[in-house]
Amino acid sequence: MDWQTRSETVPASIVPDIGPHIHVGRAPVTGAWREGDPVGDRRFVRIGDVELDSGAVLPNARIAWEHWGELSPARDNAVLVLHALTGDSHVVGPAGPAHPSAGWWPGVVGPGLAIDTDRWFVVAPNVLGGCQGSTGPASLAPDGVEWGPRFPFLTIRDQVRAQLAFARELGIERFAAVVGGSMGAMHVLEWAIMAPHAVERIAVLAAPAATTADQIALNSVQLEAVRSDPAFRSGAYYDAPEGDGPTRGLALARRMAMLNYRTPAELNDRFARDWQSGLDPLGGGGRFAVESYLDFHGNKFTRRFDANSYLVLTEAMNSHDVGRGRGGAASALAAVRAKSLVLGIDSDRYFPLAGQLEIAGHLPRSVHGPEPVVVSSEYGHDAFLIEELAVGSALRGLLEA
Ligand SMILES: CC(=O)SCCNC(=O)CCNC(=O)[C@H](O)C(C)(C)COP(=O)(O)OP(=O)(O)OC[C@H]1O[C@@H](n2cnc3c(N)ncnc32)[C@H](O)[C@@H]1OP(=O)(O)O
Ligand SMILES: N[C@@H](CCO)C(=O)O
Protein backbone atom coordinates (compact mmCIF):
# COMPACT_ATOMS: atom_id res chain seq x y z
CA MET A 1 0.00 0.00 0.00
CA ASP A 2 1.10 3.56 -0.67
CA TRP A 3 1.38 4.57 2.94
CA GLN A 4 3.72 1.71 3.58
CA THR A 5 6.02 2.28 0.65
CA ARG A 6 6.01 6.08 0.88
CA SER A 7 6.91 6.39 4.54
CA GLU A 8 10.25 5.75 6.14
CA THR A 9 10.52 3.36 9.03
CA VAL A 10 13.37 4.58 11.17
CA PRO A 11 14.99 2.45 13.84
CA ALA A 12 13.62 3.56 17.19
CA SER A 13 16.93 4.85 18.46
CA ILE A 14 17.71 6.94 15.36
CA VAL A 15 15.78 10.10 14.64
CA PRO A 16 17.86 11.62 11.86
CA ASP A 17 16.96 15.30 11.73
CA ILE A 18 16.62 15.91 15.44
CA GLY A 19 19.60 17.73 16.82
CA PRO A 20 22.07 15.79 18.91
CA HIS A 21 21.62 17.88 22.06
CA ILE A 22 17.85 17.68 22.50
CA HIS A 23 16.96 17.76 26.19
CA VAL A 24 14.16 15.23 26.07
CA GLY A 25 13.56 11.56 26.41
CA ARG A 26 16.64 10.52 28.31
CA ALA A 27 14.76 8.49 30.91
CA PRO A 28 12.32 5.88 29.57
CA VAL A 29 9.32 5.48 31.88
CA THR A 30 7.88 2.05 32.62
CA GLY A 31 4.70 1.67 30.59
CA ALA A 32 1.29 0.31 31.52
CA TRP A 33 1.16 -1.88 28.44
CA ARG A 34 -0.75 -5.15 28.85
CA GLU A 35 -0.08 -8.36 26.97
CA GLY A 36 -2.18 -8.39 23.80
CA ASP A 37 -2.48 -4.61 23.54
CA PRO A 38 -1.69 -3.19 20.09
CA VAL A 39 1.80 -1.80 19.64
CA GLY A 40 2.32 1.09 17.28
CA ASP A 41 5.31 1.26 15.00
CA ARG A 42 6.55 4.83 14.58
CA ARG A 43 7.15 5.95 11.02
CA PHE A 44 8.24 9.21 9.41
CA VAL A 45 6.87 10.98 6.34
CA ARG A 46 8.38 13.91 4.48
CA ILE A 47 5.70 16.45 3.62
CA GLY A 48 7.90 19.02 1.85
CA ASP A 49 7.67 22.76 2.48
CA VAL A 50 4.85 24.08 4.66
CA GLU A 51 3.47 27.53 3.87
CA LEU A 52 2.62 29.33 7.07
CA ASP A 53 -0.02 31.95 7.92
CA SER A 54 2.82 34.39 8.64
CA GLY A 55 4.00 34.19 5.03
CA ALA A 56 7.11 32.25 6.02
CA VAL A 57 7.83 28.76 4.67
CA LEU A 58 9.05 25.89 6.83
CA PRO A 59 11.23 23.82 4.49
CA ASN A 60 11.32 20.06 4.09
CA ALA A 61 9.16 19.21 7.09
CA ARG A 62 8.67 15.76 8.51
CA ILE A 63 5.82 14.16 10.43
CA ALA A 64 6.25 11.23 12.83
CA TRP A 65 3.24 8.96 13.05
CA GLU A 66 1.92 5.62 14.21
CA HIS A 67 -0.96 3.45 13.09
CA TRP A 68 -3.10 0.58 14.31
CA GLY A 69 -5.55 -1.65 12.43
CA GLU A 70 -5.79 -2.22 8.67
CA LEU A 71 -6.70 0.26 5.96
CA SER A 72 -9.66 -1.16 4.03
CA PRO A 73 -9.30 -1.69 0.27
CA ALA A 74 -11.81 1.16 -0.24
CA ARG A 75 -9.74 3.36 2.12
CA ASP A 76 -12.90 4.38 3.93
CA ASN A 77 -12.15 3.32 7.51
CA ALA A 78 -9.37 5.71 8.53
CA VAL A 79 -9.69 7.55 11.86
CA LEU A 80 -7.28 10.38 12.59
CA VAL A 81 -6.44 10.83 16.30
CA LEU A 82 -4.87 14.21 17.18
CA HIS A 83 -3.06 14.64 20.48
CA ALA A 84 -3.17 17.35 23.13
CA LEU A 85 -0.41 19.82 24.02
CA THR A 86 2.15 17.37 25.40
CA GLY A 87 0.92 14.17 23.80
CA ASP A 88 2.43 12.52 20.74
CA SER A 89 1.86 9.81 18.15
CA HIS A 90 2.06 7.10 20.82
CA VAL A 91 -1.65 6.70 21.53
CA VAL A 92 -1.30 3.14 22.85
CA GLY A 93 1.60 0.86 23.65
CA PRO A 94 4.42 0.61 26.15
CA ALA A 95 7.17 3.07 26.85
CA GLY A 96 10.41 2.18 25.13
CA PRO A 97 13.46 3.64 23.44
CA ALA A 98 11.32 5.56 20.94
CA HIS A 99 8.85 6.80 23.55
CA PRO A 100 9.63 8.19 26.99
CA SER A 101 6.04 7.45 28.09
CA ALA A 102 3.44 4.75 27.63
CA GLY A 103 0.53 5.54 25.31
CA TRP A 104 -1.89 8.22 26.47
CA TRP A 105 -5.29 6.68 25.50
CA PRO A 106 -4.95 2.95 26.24
CA GLY A 107 -8.60 2.46 27.25
CA VAL A 108 -10.05 4.18 24.16
CA VAL A 109 -8.10 2.85 21.16
CA GLY A 110 -7.57 -0.87 20.63
CA PRO A 111 -9.33 -4.13 19.70
CA GLY A 112 -12.95 -4.04 20.92
CA LEU A 113 -12.54 -0.56 22.43
CA ALA A 114 -14.44 2.60 21.47
CA ILE A 115 -12.10 3.29 18.56
CA ASP A 116 -11.98 -0.36 17.63
CA THR A 117 -8.78 -1.22 15.78
CA ASP A 118 -10.44 -4.40 14.48
CA ARG A 119 -12.66 -2.10 12.44
CA TRP A 120 -10.88 1.23 12.07
CA PHE A 121 -7.47 2.11 10.67
CA VAL A 122 -6.22 4.52 13.32
CA VAL A 123 -3.58 7.09 12.35
CA ALA A 124 -1.86 9.38 14.89
CA PRO A 125 0.69 12.01 13.81
CA ASN A 126 2.94 14.03 16.13
CA VAL A 127 2.10 17.70 15.63
CA LEU A 128 4.32 20.06 13.60
CA GLY A 129 6.45 22.02 16.09
CA GLY A 130 6.47 19.10 18.55
CA CYS A 131 9.43 17.17 19.90
CA GLN A 132 8.47 13.54 19.42
CA GLY A 133 9.71 12.99 15.88
CA SER A 134 7.98 15.67 13.79
CA THR A 135 9.87 18.76 12.68
CA GLY A 136 10.16 21.21 15.57
CA PRO A 137 12.59 23.66 17.13
CA ALA A 138 15.00 20.87 18.11
CA SER A 139 15.19 19.63 14.50
CA LEU A 140 18.07 20.65 12.31
CA ALA A 141 17.49 23.66 10.06
CA PRO A 142 18.90 23.63 6.50
CA ASP A 143 22.21 25.02 7.86
CA GLY A 144 22.69 21.87 9.94
CA VAL A 145 22.14 23.62 13.28
CA GLU A 146 19.01 23.22 15.43
CA TRP A 147 16.28 25.71 14.63
CA GLY A 148 16.00 26.74 18.29
CA PRO A 149 14.65 30.30 18.57
CA ARG A 150 14.73 30.67 14.77
CA PHE A 151 11.85 28.20 14.44
CA PRO A 152 8.90 30.04 12.87
CA PHE A 153 5.72 31.00 14.70
CA LEU A 154 3.02 28.39 13.99
CA THR A 155 -0.75 28.70 14.15
CA ILE A 156 -3.20 25.85 14.66
CA ARG A 157 -4.09 26.27 10.97
CA ASP A 158 -0.43 25.89 9.93
CA GLN A 159 -0.30 22.62 11.85
CA VAL A 160 -3.47 21.39 10.14
CA ARG A 161 -1.98 22.35 6.76
CA ALA A 162 0.92 20.04 7.64
CA GLN A 163 -1.50 17.29 8.69
CA LEU A 164 -3.35 17.62 5.37
CA ALA A 165 -0.07 17.21 3.50
CA PHE A 166 0.69 14.21 5.69
CA ALA A 167 -2.69 12.63 4.83
CA ARG A 168 -2.01 13.23 1.14
CA GLU A 169 1.32 11.44 1.49
CA LEU A 170 -0.49 8.46 3.05
CA GLY A 171 -2.96 8.46 0.18
CA ILE A 172 -5.97 8.99 2.48
CA GLU A 173 -8.42 11.43 0.90
CA ARG A 174 -11.18 11.19 3.48
CA PHE A 175 -11.27 10.23 7.15
CA ALA A 176 -14.27 8.44 8.64
CA ALA A 177 -13.54 10.51 11.75
CA VAL A 178 -11.08 13.10 13.02
CA VAL A 179 -10.85 12.97 16.80
CA GLY A 180 -8.96 15.05 19.35
CA GLY A 181 -8.96 16.60 22.79
CA SER A 182 -7.81 20.02 23.98
CA MET A 183 -5.22 21.31 21.45
CA GLY A 184 -6.05 18.24 19.33
CA ALA A 185 -9.69 19.37 19.25
CA MET A 186 -8.59 22.79 17.97
CA HIS A 187 -6.99 20.92 15.07
CA VAL A 188 -10.17 18.85 14.62
CA LEU A 189 -12.28 22.01 14.21
CA GLU A 190 -9.85 23.38 11.65
CA TRP A 191 -9.92 20.09 9.71
CA ALA A 192 -13.71 20.35 9.46
CA ILE A 193 -13.49 23.95 8.26
CA MET A 194 -10.37 23.85 6.08
CA ALA A 195 -10.99 20.44 4.47
CA PRO A 196 -14.71 19.64 4.64
CA HIS A 197 -14.37 17.10 1.80
CA ALA A 198 -11.86 15.12 3.88
CA VAL A 199 -13.90 14.62 7.05
CA GLU A 200 -17.03 12.56 7.61
CA ARG A 201 -17.25 12.89 11.42
CA ILE A 202 -15.49 14.98 14.05
CA ALA A 203 -15.08 14.59 17.80
CA VAL A 204 -14.25 17.84 19.62
CA LEU A 205 -13.30 17.10 23.23
CA ALA A 206 -12.69 19.80 25.84
CA ALA A 207 -11.75 22.77 23.67
CA PRO A 208 -13.13 26.24 22.87
CA ALA A 209 -14.01 27.79 19.49
CA ALA A 210 -11.38 30.43 20.22
CA THR A 211 -8.79 30.65 22.98
CA THR A 212 -10.16 33.26 25.40
CA ALA A 213 -8.31 36.08 27.18
CA ASP A 214 -8.43 34.05 30.41
CA GLN A 215 -6.87 31.03 28.68
CA ILE A 216 -4.21 33.13 26.94
CA ALA A 217 -3.38 34.61 30.35
CA LEU A 218 -3.02 31.15 31.91
CA ASN A 219 -0.76 30.15 29.02
CA SER A 220 1.28 33.36 29.03
CA VAL A 221 2.56 32.96 32.60
CA GLN A 222 3.85 29.52 31.60
CA LEU A 223 5.66 30.99 28.61
CA GLU A 224 7.26 33.52 30.93
CA ALA A 225 8.28 30.81 33.40
CA VAL A 226 10.29 29.11 30.63
CA ARG A 227 11.75 32.29 29.17
CA SER A 228 12.85 33.66 32.54
CA ASP A 229 15.00 30.62 33.33
CA PRO A 230 18.61 31.85 32.78
CA ALA A 231 19.40 28.45 31.25
CA PHE A 232 16.86 29.14 28.51
CA ARG A 233 19.42 31.44 26.84
CA SER A 234 16.76 32.96 24.56
CA GLY A 235 16.07 29.47 23.22
CA ALA A 236 19.65 28.70 22.12
CA TYR A 237 20.38 26.05 24.76
CA TYR A 238 20.93 22.91 22.68
CA ASP A 239 24.71 23.13 23.04
CA ALA A 240 24.53 23.41 26.82
CA PRO A 241 26.19 20.56 28.73
CA GLU A 242 23.92 17.62 29.51
CA GLY A 243 21.24 18.60 32.01
CA ASP A 244 21.93 22.33 31.69
CA GLY A 245 18.82 23.20 29.69
CA PRO A 246 15.93 25.30 30.99
CA THR A 247 14.54 22.48 33.10
CA ARG A 248 13.69 24.74 36.03
CA GLY A 249 11.51 27.05 33.95
CA LEU A 250 9.91 24.19 32.04
CA ALA A 251 9.13 22.31 35.24
CA LEU A 252 7.55 25.44 36.72
CA ALA A 253 5.41 25.85 33.60
CA ARG A 254 4.22 22.25 33.94
CA ARG A 255 3.38 22.79 37.62
CA MET A 256 1.25 25.78 36.65
CA ALA A 257 -0.38 23.81 33.85
CA MET A 258 -1.26 20.94 36.20
CA LEU A 259 -3.34 23.40 38.21
CA ASN A 260 -5.33 24.20 35.06
CA TYR A 261 -5.70 20.52 34.19
CA ARG A 262 -6.90 19.27 37.59
CA THR A 263 -9.42 20.60 40.16
CA PRO A 264 -9.55 21.92 43.71
CA ALA A 265 -11.83 18.98 44.63
CA GLU A 266 -9.35 16.38 43.40
CA LEU A 267 -6.31 18.01 45.01
CA ASN A 268 -8.13 18.56 48.31
CA ASP A 269 -9.51 14.98 48.42
CA ARG A 270 -6.27 13.42 47.35
CA PHE A 271 -3.70 15.35 49.35
CA ALA A 272 -5.61 17.24 52.05
CA ARG A 273 -2.96 18.91 54.26
CA ASP A 274 -0.79 15.79 54.32
CA TRP A 275 2.96 16.01 54.76
CA GLN A 276 5.14 14.35 52.17
CA SER A 277 7.58 13.01 54.76
CA GLY A 278 8.07 13.01 58.51
CA LEU A 279 9.34 16.59 58.25
CA ASP A 280 6.91 19.37 59.16
CA PRO A 281 6.19 21.70 56.19
CA LEU A 282 5.56 24.55 58.65
CA GLY A 283 9.15 25.59 59.14
CA GLY A 284 10.53 22.09 59.74
CA GLY A 285 12.08 21.72 56.31
CA GLY A 286 9.35 19.44 54.96
CA ARG A 287 6.85 19.81 52.10
CA PHE A 288 3.14 19.30 51.73
CA ALA A 289 2.25 16.20 49.70
CA VAL A 290 0.63 18.35 47.02
CA GLU A 291 3.88 20.31 46.61
CA SER A 292 5.74 17.07 46.12
CA TYR A 293 3.14 15.95 43.55
CA LEU A 294 3.62 19.13 41.52
CA ASP A 295 7.41 18.86 41.81
CA PHE A 296 7.22 15.29 40.59
CA HIS A 297 5.14 16.21 37.54
CA GLY A 298 7.30 19.24 36.75
CA ASN A 299 10.49 17.20 36.88
CA LYS A 300 9.07 14.23 34.99
CA PHE A 301 7.95 16.55 32.23
CA THR A 302 11.47 17.88 31.63
CA ARG A 303 12.59 14.34 30.81
CA ARG A 304 10.15 14.05 27.92
CA PHE A 305 9.62 17.53 26.47
CA ASP A 306 11.64 20.25 24.78
CA ALA A 307 11.21 23.80 26.16
CA ASN A 308 11.22 25.47 22.72
CA SER A 309 8.51 23.08 21.52
CA TYR A 310 6.49 23.94 24.61
CA LEU A 311 6.61 27.62 23.64
CA VAL A 312 5.80 26.99 19.96
CA LEU A 313 2.82 24.75 20.77
CA THR A 314 1.48 27.00 23.52
CA GLU A 315 1.63 30.02 21.22
CA ALA A 316 -0.14 27.98 18.53
CA MET A 317 -2.93 27.32 21.05
CA ASN A 318 -3.11 31.06 21.70
CA SER A 319 -3.62 31.60 17.95
CA HIS A 320 -6.71 29.39 17.93
CA ASP A 321 -9.82 31.19 16.68
CA VAL A 322 -12.04 29.37 14.20
CA GLY A 323 -13.73 32.67 13.30
CA ARG A 324 -10.57 34.61 12.37
CA GLY A 325 -10.96 35.91 8.80
CA ARG A 326 -14.21 33.93 8.41
CA GLY A 327 -16.78 36.37 9.72
CA GLY A 328 -16.66 35.07 13.30
CA ALA A 329 -16.97 31.73 15.05
CA ALA A 330 -20.72 31.31 14.52
CA SER A 331 -20.50 31.49 10.74
CA ALA A 332 -17.34 29.35 10.58
CA LEU A 333 -18.96 26.62 12.68
CA ALA A 334 -22.29 26.80 10.87
CA ALA A 335 -20.50 25.93 7.61
CA VAL A 336 -19.17 22.60 8.98
CA ARG A 337 -20.68 19.62 7.17
CA ALA A 338 -19.28 16.73 9.25
CA LYS A 339 -21.37 14.84 11.81
CA SER A 340 -20.04 15.99 15.14
CA LEU A 341 -19.61 15.07 18.78
CA VAL A 342 -18.84 17.92 21.16
CA LEU A 343 -17.84 16.88 24.67
CA GLY A 344 -16.96 18.91 27.75
CA ILE A 345 -16.18 18.24 31.40
CA ASP A 346 -18.23 19.86 34.14
CA SER A 347 -15.17 20.57 36.32
CA ASP A 348 -12.86 21.84 33.52
CA ARG A 349 -11.46 25.17 34.72
CA TYR A 350 -9.08 25.54 31.74
CA PHE A 351 -11.47 25.10 28.80
CA PRO A 352 -14.83 25.29 30.60
CA LEU A 353 -18.20 24.12 29.29
CA ALA A 354 -19.07 27.57 27.93
CA GLY A 355 -16.67 26.88 25.04
CA GLN A 356 -18.27 23.56 24.14
CA LEU A 357 -21.77 25.07 24.49
CA GLU A 358 -20.81 27.66 21.89
CA ILE A 359 -19.40 25.04 19.52
CA ALA A 360 -22.32 22.58 19.84
CA GLY A 361 -24.80 25.44 19.50
CA HIS A 362 -23.48 26.30 16.04
CA LEU A 363 -22.43 22.97 14.50
CA PRO A 364 -25.35 21.95 12.27
CA ARG A 365 -24.87 18.17 12.47
CA SER A 366 -24.04 17.63 16.15
CA VAL A 367 -25.20 14.08 16.94
CA HIS A 368 -26.47 15.24 20.34
CA GLY A 369 -28.19 18.37 19.06
CA PRO A 370 -27.22 21.87 20.16
CA GLU A 371 -25.81 20.78 23.56
CA PRO A 372 -22.42 19.17 24.29
CA VAL A 373 -22.12 15.80 25.98
CA VAL A 374 -21.11 16.65 29.55
CA VAL A 375 -18.82 14.29 31.44
CA SER A 376 -19.15 14.68 35.18
CA SER A 377 -15.73 14.19 36.75
CA GLU A 378 -13.61 15.49 39.58
CA TYR A 379 -10.50 15.40 37.35
CA GLY A 380 -11.18 18.62 35.45
CA HIS A 381 -9.67 19.20 32.01
CA ASP A 382 -7.57 15.99 32.13
CA ALA A 383 -10.82 13.98 32.35
CA PHE A 384 -10.83 13.66 28.56
CA LEU A 385 -7.73 11.49 29.05
CA ILE A 386 -8.66 9.85 32.36
CA GLU A 387 -12.43 9.15 32.09
CA GLU A 388 -11.94 6.62 29.31
CA LEU A 389 -15.29 4.84 29.76
CA ALA A 390 -17.42 7.98 29.50
CA VAL A 391 -15.36 9.48 26.68
CA GLY A 392 -15.18 6.11 24.90
CA SER A 393 -18.94 5.65 25.07
CA ALA A 394 -19.53 9.06 23.45
CA LEU A 395 -16.94 8.30 20.75
CA ARG A 396 -18.54 4.93 20.05
CA GLY A 397 -21.86 6.71 19.53
CA LEU A 398 -20.30 9.08 17.01
CA LEU A 399 -18.54 6.33 15.09
CA GLU A 400 -21.81 4.37 14.82
CA ALA A 401 -23.77 7.46 13.72
C1 LIG B 1 1.07 7.91 31.24
C2 LIG B 1 1.89 9.07 30.72
O1 LIG B 1 2.77 9.55 31.36
S1 LIG B 1 1.42 9.73 29.25
C3 LIG B 1 2.75 10.76 28.83
C4 LIG B 1 2.47 11.45 27.62
N1 LIG B 1 1.64 12.51 28.02
C5 LIG B 1 0.63 12.80 27.31
O2 LIG B 1 0.34 12.19 26.35
C6 LIG B 1 -0.14 13.94 27.80
C7 LIG B 1 -1.39 13.48 28.33
N2 LIG B 1 -1.26 12.72 29.58
C8 LIG B 1 -1.30 13.30 30.78
O3 LIG B 1 -1.35 14.51 30.90
C9 LIG B 1 -1.28 12.42 31.98
O4 LIG B 1 -0.49 11.31 31.76
C10 LIG B 1 -2.70 11.92 32.42
C11 LIG B 1 -3.59 13.12 32.64
C12 LIG B 1 -3.31 11.07 31.35
C13 LIG B 1 -2.61 11.07 33.67
O5 LIG B 1 -1.88 11.68 34.61
P1 LIG B 1 -0.97 10.81 35.59
O6 LIG B 1 0.29 11.52 35.75
O7 LIG B 1 -0.85 9.41 35.11
O8 LIG B 1 -1.78 10.73 36.90
P2 LIG B 1 -1.53 11.41 38.29
O9 LIG B 1 -1.77 12.88 38.20
O10 LIG B 1 -2.36 10.66 39.26
O11 LIG B 1 0.02 11.22 38.65
C14 LIG B 1 0.48 9.98 39.02
C15 LIG B 1 1.96 10.10 39.35
O12 LIG B 1 2.12 11.06 40.41
C16 LIG B 1 2.94 10.47 41.42
N3 LIG B 1 2.57 11.05 42.71
C17 LIG B 1 1.36 10.97 43.30
N4 LIG B 1 1.43 11.60 44.49
C18 LIG B 1 2.67 12.09 44.63
C19 LIG B 1 3.34 12.83 45.66
N5 LIG B 1 2.73 13.20 46.79
N6 LIG B 1 4.64 13.16 45.47
C20 LIG B 1 5.29 12.79 44.33
N7 LIG B 1 4.69 12.09 43.33
C21 LIG B 1 3.41 11.75 43.49
C22 LIG B 1 2.63 9.02 41.35
O13 LIG B 1 3.67 8.26 41.93
C23 LIG B 1 2.50 8.76 39.85
O14 LIG B 1 3.79 8.55 39.33
P3 LIG B 1 4.02 7.78 37.91
O15 LIG B 1 3.54 8.71 36.84
O16 LIG B 1 5.49 7.55 37.85
O17 LIG B 1 3.21 6.52 37.99
N1 LIG C 1 -2.56 16.63 30.24
C1 LIG C 1 -2.73 17.10 28.91
C2 LIG C 1 -3.52 18.34 29.00
C3 LIG C 1 -3.44 19.31 27.88
O1 LIG C 1 -4.64 19.29 27.24
C4 LIG C 1 -1.38 17.30 28.25
O2 LIG C 1 -0.39 17.40 28.98
O3 LIG C 1 -1.27 17.30 27.03
Side-chain angles (χ1 to χ4, degrees), residues 133-281:
S134 292
T135 298
S139 305
L140 300 182
D143 62 4
V145 177
E146 292 93 344
W147 282 98
R150 303 174 298 161
F151 195 77
F153 182 90
L154 297 183
T155 65
I156 292 290
R157 295 182 194 178
D158 293 330
Q159 293 168 325
V160 170
R161 219 168 281 123
Q163 289 166 354
L164 285 163
F166 159 71
R168 272 195 300 278
E169 283 300 314
L170 297 198
I172 298 175
E173 288 175 6
R174 186 170 167 83
F175 284 95
V178 181
V179 174
S182 196
M183 185 186 78
M186 299 175 180
H187 296 126
V188 170
L189 285 169
E190 287 295 340
W191 265 84
I193 296 166
M194 291 167 66
H197 54 280
V199 183
E200 193 174 338
R201 302 175 185 84
I202 55 171
V204 178
L205 315 178
T211 305
T212 64
D214 177 57
Q215 292 148 12
I216 292 169
L218 293 168
N219 292 341
S220 73
V221 289
Q222 295 174 43
L223 299 178
E224 188 53 25
V226 174
R227 289 180 178 135
S228 61
D229 183 337
F232 180 60
R233 297 184 178 89
S234 304
Y237 53 82
Y238 295 116
D239 282 331
E242 183 84 354
D244 198 19
T247 50
R248 206 177 171 86
L250 185 62
L252 177 56
R254 184 64 171 177
R255 283 187 187 86
M256 293 172 174
M258 290 297 292
L259 299 180
N260 303 334
Y261 301 157
R262 310 307 265 255
T263 64
E266 185 206 355
L267 296 181
N268 294 340
D269 285 353
R270 199 166 161 181
F271 301 107
R273 294 184 53 79
D274 295 348
W275 300 3
Q276 182 60 25
S277 66
L279 294 176
D280 187 344

Side-chain angles (χ1 to χ4, degrees), residues 28-85:
V29 178
T30 306
W33 183 72
R34 296 162 301 233
E35 193 61 37
D37 282 352
V39 179
D41 161 19
R42 190 163 60 157
R43 289 161 185 268
F44 300 85
V45 170
R46 288 277 166 204
I47 57 168
D49 299 350
V50 183
E51 290 183 13
L52 307 177
D53 283 345
S54 63
V57 174
L58 182 64
N60 194 24
R62 184 179 81 168
I63 296 293
W65 66 291
E66 292 180 51
H67 66 89
W68 298 264
E70 289 292 327
L71 186 59
S72 64
R75 294 174 178 258
D76 60 357
N77 70 333
V79 172
L80 185 66
V81 175
L82 301 175
H83 64 75
L85 177 66

Side-chain angles (χ1 to χ4, degrees), residues 86-87 101-102 104 254 262 270-271 276 289 292-293 296-297 300 304 382 385-386:
T86 76
S101 305
W104 49 269
R254 184 64 171 177
R262 310 307 265 255
R270 199 166 161 181
F271 301 107
Q276 182 60 25
S292 167
Y293 171 76
F296 169 84
H297 276 288
K300 179 176 170 184
R304 71 175 178 87
D382 267 347
L385 296 159
I386 297 169

Side-chain angles (χ1 to χ4, degrees), residues 155-156 185-187 189-190 207-212 315-324 359:
T155 65
I156 292 290
M186 299 175 180
H187 296 126
L189 285 169
E190 287 295 340
T211 305
T212 64
E315 290 196 312
M317 286 211 299
N318 285 348
S319 80
H320 172 60
D321 177 1
V322 294
R324 177 165 37 87
I359 297 169

